Amino acid sequence: MERVLKTKIKEAVRILYDSDASDDLIQIQETRKDFVGDFTLVVFPLLRFSKNTPEKTGEMIGKHLIESFPAVSGYNVIKGFLNLEISDAWWISNFSKMLQEENLMAKCVVDQPETILVEYSSPNTNKPLHLGHIRNSLLGFSLYRILTVCGHKVIKTNIVNDRGIHICKSMLAWQKFGNGETPESSGIKGDHLVGKYYVLFEKQYREEAEDLIAGGMEPVEAKNNAPLLKEAREMLLKWEAGDPEIINLWNQMNSWVYSGFDETYKKLGVDFDKIYYESDTYKLGRDLVFKALKEGLLYKNGDSSIWIDLKTEGLDQKLLLRSDGTAVYMTQDLGTAVLRHEEFGFDRCIYVVGNEQNYHFQVLKAVLKKMDYSWSDGLFHFSYGMVELPEGKMKSREGVVVDADDLIAEMAETAKDVSLELGKLAEYRGDEKEEIFRKIGLGALKYFILKVDPKKNMTFNPSESIDFNGNTGPFIQYTYARIRSVFRKADEMNVIFNRNFIKTEKAGSKEIQLIRLLRRFTATVTEAAESYSPSLIANYCYELAKEYNQFYHDFTILGEKDPSVRDLRMAISELTARILGSGMFLLGIEMPERM
RNA sequence: GGCCCUAUAGUUCAAUGGAUAGAACGCGGGUUUCCUAAACCUGAAAUCCAGGUUCGAUUCCUGGUGGGGCUACCA
């Protein structure tokens, strides 16, 4: 419609003012709520053609449109804005088409589908997942769903950082103080058990360093010379050398962590098609570095560390391999990228990684470009903002984190408390209720995180952030559940509605308003895909649910005597539920049939 | 020091350069013989500061100020 209007207005400008207006001068937007109309033309840019006042110009164009274009049923001019009213007949016919549509998102499919690889979550194996991983994983997973309905082939991947000094710290602490404790013997979830020893290491290490400082050593030196840290470094060397005992311990502790991660991912409702391990890919990266060195793209320092010079790219020099030949983060990321391209031949590779690593990804892309991988243009860093606590940044070393498992469990618990307080679901079985509480709690958490623009930092206050009223996941779920309830009731009453003949003259202004909103869904999904922004879908769903709730409050649906009015209202309800369901599906949020 | 991001009601979030800056929570006042009151209605309450571009700036540009990040042979 917007496109047609644009053409018609161009035509009007040509006839009325004998001028050609370029597309960007014809600005059409949806009319704001407090004005009469459906679409609004901003007249100001056209004054250069009309050489007249905004009011007069608006009048002339409005008059021309109403005479030449039947879908326009009325207009009004306020200041420099021409508000156009579209006929109810057009809206109803558009709505009827949507009702018949089996796949609501068919319109979102792009002309040229791509193969897109998405990397998200990216945990370390020395500690359990926390709130930061939750934001990351939810964004990645939602992006996967959004891009998929747009027709792309999307591969979900995870890169696990399973090597390095951090995991040695957990291993060492376990060796020294663990007394053979296992997840089975202690009843502690594997990732939490390993995390416990990581924290223990840090604690013991701090104490050692403090003792050294008390003994007169400089703080920097003390931190570098604490016996525990030295031992951890030795362990890392042994690991890189393939020491069987260390490798065994490493395998064992990692397996504990992985079973813990699996459980958390499952609860969170995210998964992966392919998991990469840094312990595999760093070697590949190392080989690439050697190869590039031979080709003269890199240079060797006096201490035999290997660097790349990116000054001509506006960046700095960057270390790619340490003097002792061990790999850094960048090394393995190079290897992973090349491996992935060999395996999947992607058109785009999206890294869902926090904005603190903006520089890292600039460098990664530049290095690959320099190594002459043309596909490096398809790498995209989906840079999202940090999750902060009221007291500031999360610090896992100091134990100031919101643990993922705890949070998920607390959400369901809160959902349960709220539900019981409201006296809901009294007649349902225990396991049915638990399932609903789970959906609501998780829905609240996911929506809270995804409704925020990914680029922005967000604050999470554990005691206050999660609500079940207002602009929340449960609000949207509730709206959905109510509609489902209407249709259950309709079944009981043997009311069947006729979706094939929706009568135009029965539509009131509230119905038309909802229909306008429903129509916007596909455009919203497309925009979310193009701008990598699940939050647009979240906010759209909220707006729709809010609008529907008003409608639901003010009008009766099944109680309506006029069958064709009832048909229309049921049709609107049905489509609203479908769209809310689809929208929330794209966010990875499940909808309860009742709550 | 250099580079990047950011600043909107008390709080958490919205707003392709367009109209009177929207919501939610919280605070104040209301709505239940009726399809689920986790709802609906209603009141008070905000664009960090100073310039510039523009018919028009929360949005773009410059300079301040506050917050965050990067600038590691950490990841």
Side-chain angles (χ1 to χ4, degrees):
Chain A
M1 190 63 188
E2 289 88 336
R3 226 178 40 240
V4 181
L5 273 175
K6 239 179 184 178
T7 316
K8 293 281 177 191
I9 290 166
K10 267 174 131 164
E11 201 177 286
V13 171
R14 199 173 313 125
I15 293 171
L16 294 171
Y17 308 122
D18 194 28
S19 313
D20 274 316
S22 63
D23 263 16
D24 55 312
L25 293 181
I26 303 190
Q27 296 172 23
I28 294 175
Q29 52 200 241
E30 282 189 43
T31 302
R32 292 178 47 153
K33 257 187 198 164
D34 9 319
F35 299 95
V36 177
D38 296 300
F39 295 99
T40 295
L41 171 74
V42 184
V43 181
F44 296 106
L46 303 177
L47 300 184
R48 66 186 73 179
F49 303 122
S50 71
K51 310 271 196 285
N52 211 325
T53 62
E55 289 78 6
K56 271 274 194 240
T57 310
E59 275 297 329
M60 285 178 78
I61 297 174
K63 191 158 178 285
H64 178 89
L65 283 176
I66 209 165
E67 284 164 1
S68 65
F69 189 23
V72 175
S73 60
Y75 72 91
N76 62 84
V77 181
I78 298 173
K79 295 186 186 174
F81 299 90
L82 169 62
N83 300 318
L84 299 167
E85 293 163 51
I86 302 300
S87 71
D88 288 355
W90 188 85
W91 286 115
I92 293 294
S93 117
N94 187 278
F95 172 69
S96 298
K97 272 184 229 153
M98 265 194 292
L99 265 186
Q100 309 291 338
E101 191 67 65
E102 246 173 78
N103 174 12
L104 287 169
M105 291 169 287
K107 271 193 188 156
C108 303
V109 174
V110 295
D111 294 334
Q112 293 180 319
E114 299 172 42
T115 298
I116 302 176
L117 198 141
V118 185
E119 170 194 297
Y120 55 93
S121 196
S122 320
N124 290 350
T125 53
N126 62 331
K127 50 185 185 258
L129 302 175
H130 57 69
L131 183 52
H133 294 109
I134 293 185
R135 188 177 194 192
N136 181 308
S137 304
L138 296 180
L139 283 170
F141 190 73
S142 175
L143 219 48
Y144 147 71
R145 285 210 163 145
I146 293 169
L147 293 170
T148 299
V149 300
C150 290
H152 300 292
K153 183 186 173 205
V154 187
I155 300 133
K156 296 164 283 177
T157 75
N158 192 355
I159 173 91
V160 179
N161 176 13
D162 60 345
R163 61 169 278 278
I165 191 81
H166 59 86
I167 180 71
C168 290
K169 289 177 178 175
S170 299
M171 284 157 64
L172 188 63
W174 183 85
Q175 239 181 10
K176 282 180 130 41
F177 316 111
N179 297 317
E181 188 178 35
T182 66
E184 292 75 28
S185 75
S186 62
I188 300 176
K189 194 162 163 278
D191 49 341
H192 287 261
L193 184 70
V194 172
K196 175 178 142 187
Y197 285 99
Y198 181 72
V199 172
L200 184 62
F201 175 95
E202 291 292 336
K203 181 167 167 275
Q204 299 285 339
Y205 164 61
R206 251 199 316 274
E207 283 173 13
E208 280 187 1
E210 277 162 22
D211 285 350
L212 289 175
I213 293 167
M217 198 182 271
E218 287 298 315
V220 177
E221 205 182 333
K223 278 180 189 159
N224 239 325
N225 282 291
L228 267 177
L229 186 63
K230 284 185 172 172
E231 269 190 82
R233 284 185 184 141
E234 280 164 27
M235 190 181 256
L236 180 60
L237 282 175
K238 282 187 188 170
W239 181 88
E240 295 227 355
D243 181 299
E245 193 192 337
I246 301 299
I247 297 287
N248 270 341
L249 178 58
W250 176 71
N251 276 325
Q252 172 163 67
M253 290 183 78
N254 272 345
S255 74
W256 295 344
V257 170
Y258 296 146
S259 66
F261 283 173
D262 286 347
E263 211 179 307
T264 307
Y265 287 136
K266 198 170 172 195
K267 275 191 286 189
L268 200 56
V270 305
D271 58 11
F272 306 94
D273 301 312
K274 168 103 193 189
I275 298 179
Y276 291 91
Y277 298 92
E278 195 182 317
S279 56
D280 295 328
T281 61
Y282 83 100
K283 292 179 192 150
L284 250 140
R286 207 173 48 193
D287 296 344
L288 285 168
V289 169
F290 287 141
K291 185 167 152 265
L293 181 67
K294 236 180 248 170
E295 291 166 357
L297 298 170
L298 313 177
Y299 66 92
K300 209 173 216 177
N301 227 344
D303 58 6
S304 76
S305 55
I306 300 176
W307 298 71
I308 187 164
D309 187 350
L310 296 169
K311 289 216 178 80
T312 51
E313 281 81 1
L315 301 165
D316 209 340
Q317 302 170 347
K318 185 79 188 176
L319 176 98
L320 296 184
L321 213 58
R322 291 194 186 101
S323 51
D324 62 2
T326 56
V328 290
Y329 184 41
M330 187 62 70
T331 324
Q332 72 82 20
D333 251 359
L334 290 169
T336 312
V338 171
L339 180 62
R340 280 173 176 161
H341 191 263
E342 279 169 9
E343 288 183 27
F344 297 104
F346 55 76
D347 301 300
R348 253 193 285 177
C349 177
I350 302 173
Y351 292 88
V352 182
V353 180
N355 60 16
E356 58 194 349
Q357 293 188 35
N358 286 354
Y359 185 71
H360 172 83
F361 283 97
Q362 250 182 301
V363 173
L364 175 68
K365 207 167 162 168
V367 173
L368 286 165
K369 184 97 186 162
K370 200 147 190 170
M371 290 181 172
D372 211 24
Y373 292 107
S374 59
W375 47 263
S376 67
D377 289 332
L379 300 189
F380 177 79
H381 177 203
F382 178 83
S383 164
Y384 66 92
M386 299 284 99
V387 184
E388 285 166 10
L389 301 177
E391 54 273 18
K393 221 191 151 185
M394 280 193 276
K395 295 200 173 68
S396 44
R397 273 180 212 198
E398 292 160 31
V400 189
V401 283
V402 177
D403 178 76
D405 294 314
D406 292 351
L407 184 57
I408 293 168
E410 279 164 25
M411 295 309 308
E413 203 52 40
T414 309
K416 184 176 184 171
D417 294 344
V418 173
S419 182
L420 293 179
E421 204 174 302
L422 292 170
K424 302 263 179 180
L425 303 171
E427 70 274 27
Y428 292 102
R429 284 205 322 272
D431 57 335
E432 284 175 332
K433 281 195 277 195
E434 291 302 323
E435 176 65 3
I436 293 170
F437 300 149
R438 185 189 67 77
K439 283 183 184 170
I440 296 171
L442 208 52
L445 174 62
K446 290 183 175 186
Y447 185 87
F448 179 82
I449 288 171
L450 290 173
K451 78 171 177 188
V452 180
D453 182 340
K455 289 195 294 290
K456 292 195 174 173
N457 287 3
M458 62 183 292
T459 308
F460 184 86
N461 185 334
S463 58
E464 299 174 0
S465 279
I466 297 296
D467 224 305
F468 292 80
N469 301 317
N471 187 354
T472 65
F475 176 91
I476 297 166
Q477 290 173 320
Y478 179 67
T479 309
Y480 177 87
R482 274 171 141 188
I483 298 174
R484 303 303 303 149
S485 175
V486 169
F487 281 93
R488 279 194 298 275
K489 182 94 178 194
D491 275 348
E492 277 171 34
M493 295 163 61
N494 281 319
V495 173
I496 298 164
F497 80 98
N498 184 343
R499 78 193 71 205
N500 296 318
F501 299 100
I502 302 296
K503 291 185 185 159
T504 299
E505 66 276 14
K506 301 296 183 180
S509 65
K510 193 68 183 173
E511 279 95 345
I512 294 292
Q513 206 179 334
L514 268 164
I515 286 170
R516 279 168 60 180
L517 201 46
L518 290 165
R519 173 177 169 274
R520 218 165 70 200
F521 178 58
T522 52
T524 304
V525 174
T526 299
E527 203 185 336
E530 284 169 357
S531 62
Y532 302 100
S533 223
S535 67
L536 296 179
I537 295 174
N539 286 309
Y540 167 83
C541 285
Y542 172 65
E543 205 181 326
L544 177 58
K546 190 174 165 53
E547 202 64 42
Y548 182 85
N549 275 333
Q550 286 170 10
F551 166 75
Y552 180 95
H553 180 267
D554 292 345
F555 299 93
T556 179
I557 299 165
L558 299 177
E560 173 58 43
K561 296 286 185 295
D562 181 336
S564 40
V565 173
R566 193 184 61 199
D567 280 355
L568 173 65
R569 291 184 182 163
M570 287 181 78
I572 287 174
S573 301
E574 183 189 74
L575 194 58
T576 300
R578 280 182 68 196
I579 286 183
L580 289 179
S582 303
M584 295 294 265
F585 173 81
L586 293 177
L587 303 179
I589 298 174
E590 297 171 82
M591 295 295 234
E593 291 299 301
R594 57 197 93 209
M595 63 187 275

